[in-house]
Amino acid sequence: MPGFARDTDATPRDDAIRLLARREYARAELRERLAAKGHEAEAVEACLAELAEQGLQSDERFAESFLRSRVARCQGPVRIRAELSRRGIDDATAKAAFIEAGGEVDWFELAAEALSRRFSGPGEGPRERARRERFLAGRGFDFDQLRHALAHAWDDA
């Protein structure tokens, strides 16, 4: 980064704390970032274990935070699960985050909201309907959520 002087003597912990000060990171993400900064694998693993023990890094907290941020962007559960997996979150941790958010998120209504924000109406013809279906599928909504959204997105309009 221009204007950013990096401390070449920084420990893995220093770099990890600097990263965690900005946002939550999954353990796997943090491992990749620290390795990219040139820290040795053994030092990185020791650092990550220490940070987790101290409660400074938590995959559970990351998954919950990530889920909330993606729901705010009107993204669906299929896409969120895939993204959590890509970031190194195991299925059990992801499932726990979804259970935690379960009472708060109505995926069917979220799909309808995403659709109504993007499109002004249901569209005329099969080509326009397919466009709306692709939009929702790309956002990570499943077939049932997609069908519900197509039927109810503009009920209040």
Side-chain angles (χ1 to χ4, degrees):
M1 254 190 234
F4 180 73
R6 179 164 142 35
D7 181 4
T8 57
D9 295 331
T11 65
R13 182 180 173 81
D14 294 337
D15 285 337
I17 295 294
R18 201 171 291 120
L19 290 167
L20 289 168
R22 288 187 222 129
R23 71 168 177 93
E24 292 284 345
Y25 278 86
R27 185 179 183 118
E29 276 185 308
L30 210 47
R31 181 182 299 115
E32 288 174 15
R33 290 289 196 101
L34 294 175
K37 289 183 179 285
H39 297 294
E40 293 188 22
E42 292 173 7
V44 168
E45 287 305 319
C47 171
L48 292 175
E50 183 181 316
L51 291 171
E53 186 178 304
Q54 294 171 348
L56 297 174
Q57 188 282 320
S58 164
D59 278 354
E60 292 80 13
R61 196 171 55 230
F62 169 79
E64 290 169 11
S65 170
F66 187 85
L67 177 65
R68 280 191 306 275
S69 75
R70 292 316 191 255
V71 166
R73 293 183 188 179
C74 289
Q75 291 181 356
V78 174
R79 183 171 179 174
I80 296 170
R81 274 195 180 92
E83 189 69 21
L84 283 170
S85 177
R86 191 181 71 73
R87 291 171 183 257
I89 300 298
D90 62 59
D91 288 341
T93 304
K95 187 175 183 178
F98 274 90
I99 289 169
E100 183 74 24
E104 302 169 21
V105 181
D106 182 343
W107 297 107
F108 293 90
E109 287 305 312
L110 188 63
E113 180 184 339
L115 191 61
S116 67
R117 282 185 182 180
R118 175 70 174 85
F119 297 98
S120 60
E124 296 296 321
R127 173 174 267 155
E128 285 301 311
R129 183 175 178 85
R131 215 172 134 222
R132 283 149 179 76
E133 290 173 356
R134 281 192 308 274
F135 169 77
L136 288 173
R139 281 292 179 104
F141 292 101
D142 69 23
F143 182 77
D144 292 333
Q145 295 157 354
L146 187 146
R147 291 290 174 219
H148 173 85
L150 287 169
H152 300 287
W154 301 279
D155 285 352
D156 296 334

